[in-house]
């Protein structure tokens, strides 16, 4: 019968797994031809129509089947194969950029999730580093991760959005990992979520750092004026011919009578 060999005086013997033929008249096992590359022959007696439930099968997607395969061989993690009929491992392509391939026998790569990026050939996504975030999928480079928003901080890797506002008394200029990236300087105040120090109003000043609101800015001292800079001290004395009674924002607050 087909896909069997018959030694003299003995009953037909099925050709072994990994071989296949639709021909009969074989006399020994060595005459059973190898299963063709791109196909697999999973069990002995794999002929068509001779009481067998198996046959020569096309190699499925996610696998490759060299010559003489009794079963398909899975493409390794980090690679994939969309189509059937692969003959060798070279047919398993590296996972494409923007996707990752976490399992053996992958035939449909997974889209790189938000908070990460995926270079070619990855088994798992790479987290965007601390100080950055991403709410977009399919990134292919670390450079595509968004620097943390000014006034906020991104404490860990793999974030889809910033962790939170920066702390009161501090400011964050961007790409902050710490909620206390920079101390609020003297002469200014910094509410929570500040991306720049806010200078004390003209006519006021402050010598203290890490202030959280303008209540820390006191009136300019008599005899001096305060332009509202970040100096942490009065701007200077009032001009000759003028006097300053306190809270002066210019050096000519009052003309000397």
């Amino acid at each position: 019968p087909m896909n069997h060999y018959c030694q003299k005086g003995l009953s037909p013997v099925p050709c072994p797994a990994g071989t296949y033929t639709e021909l009969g008249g074989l006399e020994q096992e060595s005459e059973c031809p190898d299963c063709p590359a791109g196909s697999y022959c999973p069990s002995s007696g794999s002929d068509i129509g001779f009481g067998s439930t198996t046959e020569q099968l096309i190699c499925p997607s996610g696998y490759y089947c060299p010559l003489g395969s009794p079963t398909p061989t899975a493409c390794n993690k980090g690679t994939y194969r969309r189509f059937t009929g692969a003959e060798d491992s070279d047919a398993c392509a590296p996972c494409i950029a923007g996707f990752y391939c976490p399992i053996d026998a992958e035939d449909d790569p997974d889209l790189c999730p938000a908070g990460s990026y995926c270079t070619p050939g990855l088994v798992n996504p790479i987290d965007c580093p601390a100080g950055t975030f991403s709410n977009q999928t399919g990134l292919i480079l670390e450079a595509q991760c968004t620097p943390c928003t000014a006034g906020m901080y991104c404490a860990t890797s793999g974030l889809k959005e910033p962790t939170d506002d920066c702390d009161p008394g501090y400011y964050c200029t961007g790409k902050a990992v710490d909620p206390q990236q920079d101390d609020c300087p003297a002469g200014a105040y910094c509410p929570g979520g500040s991306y720049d120090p806010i200078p004390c109003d003209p006519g006021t000043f402050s010598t203290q750092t890490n202030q959280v609101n303008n209540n820390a800015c006191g009136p300019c001292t008599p005899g001096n004026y305060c332009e509202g800079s970040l100096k942490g001290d009065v701007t200077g004395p009032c001009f000759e011919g003028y006097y300053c009674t306190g809270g002066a924002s210019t050096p000519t607050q009052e003309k000397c009578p």
Side-chain angles (χ1 to χ4, degrees):
M2 292 186 299
N3 207 42
H4 288 65
Y5 61 95
C6 298
Q7 295 176 325
K8 188 174 182 179
L10 299 176
S11 299
V13 179
C15 285
T19 66
Y20 177 79
T21 181
E22 295 183 356
L23 299 177
L26 305 183
E27 296 182 356
Q28 52 190 348
E29 182 179 321
S30 62
E31 294 178 352
C32 297
D34 288 327
C35 196
S39 299
Y40 69 103
C41 302
S43 66
S44 59
S46 57
D47 60 297
I48 301 173
F50 189 73
S52 174
T53 59
T54 59
E55 58 188 64
Q56 176 184 326
L57 301 173
I58 190 71
C59 202
S61 58
Y63 294 82
Y64 62 97
C65 299
L67 183 71
S69 294
T71 59
T73 302
C75 291
N76 291 331
K77 295 175 183 178
T79 67
Y80 76 107
R81 169 75 184 180
R82 290 191 190 277
F83 306 108
T84 60
E87 297 182 358
D88 54 45
S89 60
D90 290 341
C92 301
C95 208
I96 54 179
F99 293 80
Y100 67 107
C101 299
I103 60 173
D104 291 328
E106 182 71 78
D107 63 356
D108 188 17
D110 295 339
L111 181 64
C112 202
S116 62
Y117 62 98
C118 296
T119 55
L122 285 187
V123 175
N124 294 304
I126 303 170
D127 284 346
C128 286
T132 69
F133 72 100
S134 174
N135 55 18
Q136 303 295 314
T137 58
L139 301 189
I140 64 175
L141 298 170
E142 181 181 324
Q144 292 177 304
C145 299
T146 305
C148 203
T149 308
M152 309 187 83
Y153 70 103
C154 299
T156 61
S157 62
L159 293 177
K160 298 177 184 178
E161 59 185 19
T163 305
D164 207 343
D165 286 343
C166 283
D167 287 352
Y170 299 85
Y171 68 103
C172 299
T173 57
K175 211 172 183 180
V177 176
D178 191 322
Q180 300 178 354
Q181 184 182 35
D182 290 297
D183 288 316
C184 198
Y189 59 97
C190 299
S194 292
Y195 56 86
D196 253 338
I198 303 172
C200 287
D201 292 335
T204 67
F205 77 112
S206 173
T207 60
Q208 302 298 312
T209 61
N210 304 106
Q211 300 305 302
V212 302
N213 56 51
N214 63 358
N215 292 336
C217 302
C220 200
T221 55
N224 295 293
Y225 71 103
C226 300
E227 291 180 327
S229 67
L230 302 178
K231 288 178 59 177
D233 199 355
V234 298
T235 306
C238 286
F239 288 177
E240 290 185 11
Y242 297 86
Y243 66 101
C244 299
T245 59
S249 59
T250 70
T252 58
Q253 184 186 28
E254 302 288 348
K255 193 169 184 177
C256 197

